[in-house]
Amino acid sequence: MRLIFLEHSRTAYWVDMLLYCLVIVVLGGFVGLSGPAIRHWPSLAWIGLGLGVWTLLEYVLHRFVLHVMPPFRGWHAQHHARPTALICTPTFVSGALFAGLVFAPAWALGGLEAACPLTLGVLMGYQFYSFTHHAIHHWRSDNAWLHRRKRQHSFHHGEQSGFYGVTNSLWDQVFRTARPIRPQEPSWPAQSVSPPPS
């Protein structure tokens, strides 16, 4: 019996998105309603730090885990081969990682006043990434920002390198994994990309 299913049904895929939205609302409510208003500025700083941490996590996970480390490399190759399939990390796996690698250490080091807003920021970044990645692969839009993200992500799918950031190019610029894309280059690979060898 398989415990981890990478390809989700439509229902499971959208339930995952909904659950993270609910967690964000609950955490946001807790952060916003707990304590006196004077303590909200530190909470906003923790949220901002969490959002910033997510941008780096998004880049590092995509570049060094999903494209280098087995078995993640093979799993991610399935997404490259079938970019419109609903392939994503199971909710219990991603939830356990957020709880164990973000919330628990922050709680141990700074208490709930740090753990909740920091985790909220990371989850907001993750959810923005999830929606952006879905839009890149499934939506047609004239939005300039989304069009730029689509072009860069399509180059990533075609070359299987570079443009590891999905929601932004900051870390691709810092680590020089971005390059100018010529206007005549296609906005999406014409054919499916075969998975790299395992």
Side-chain angles (χ1 to χ4, degrees):
M1 186 169 96
R2 291 173 57 197
L3 287 176
I4 297 179
F5 291 92
L6 296 175
E7 188 164 354
H8 289 56
S9 69
R10 280 196 171 286
T11 302
Y13 182 81
W14 288 109
V15 164
D16 177 81
M17 294 266 201
L18 178 62
L19 284 174
Y20 275 109
C21 285
L22 290 173
V23 170
I24 288 168
V25 168
V26 169
L27 268 177
F30 178 78
V31 169
L33 297 174
S34 64
I38 192 118
R39 288 184 17 213
H40 290 328
W41 287 111
S43 292
L44 288 174
W46 282 112
I47 291 169
L49 177 63
L51 285 165
V53 164
W54 171 256
T55 65
L56 182 58
L57 276 175
E58 176 185 314
Y59 178 87
V60 168
L61 289 171
H62 196 176
R63 182 176 181 186
F64 297 109
V65 176
L66 298 180
H67 279 270
V68 175
M69 294 175 58
F72 308 105
R73 182 176 184 231
W75 295 345
H76 189 63
Q78 293 179 43
H79 167 62
H80 275 257
R82 297 182 305 126
T84 58
L86 301 178
I87 296 172
C88 60
T89 306
T91 308
F92 77 91
V93 174
S94 60
L97 290 172
F98 286 126
L101 299 177
V102 178
F103 183 82
W107 190 5
L109 295 172
L112 282 177
E113 296 83 14
C116 289
L118 178 70
T119 304
L120 175 60
V122 171
L123 290 179
M124 288 168 62
Y126 173 71
Q127 194 68 340
F128 183 62
Y129 155 82
S130 296
F131 282 123
T132 301
H133 192 249
H134 178 81
I136 284 170
H137 286 286
H138 298 276
W139 294 358
R140 292 180 187 269
S141 173
D142 293 330
N143 178 277
W145 176 84
L146 186 57
H147 181 70
R148 189 167 50 256
R149 306 302 332 140
K150 273 183 177 263
R151 286 189 57 77
Q152 291 177 358
H153 197 64
S154 69
F155 173 80
H156 170 79
H157 268 255
E159 298 294 319
Q160 297 198 40
S161 66
F163 291 113
Y164 295 100
V166 172
T167 59
N168 70 83
S169 301
L170 170 66
W171 300 108
D172 284 296
Q173 298 297 329
V174 169
F175 296 115
R176 298 176 186 232
T177 52
R179 74 159 177 82
I181 299 176
R182 294 183 303 274
Q184 68 271 20
E185 289 184 81
S187 62
W188 202 255
Q191 57 190 8
S192 293
V193 179
S194 57
S198 298

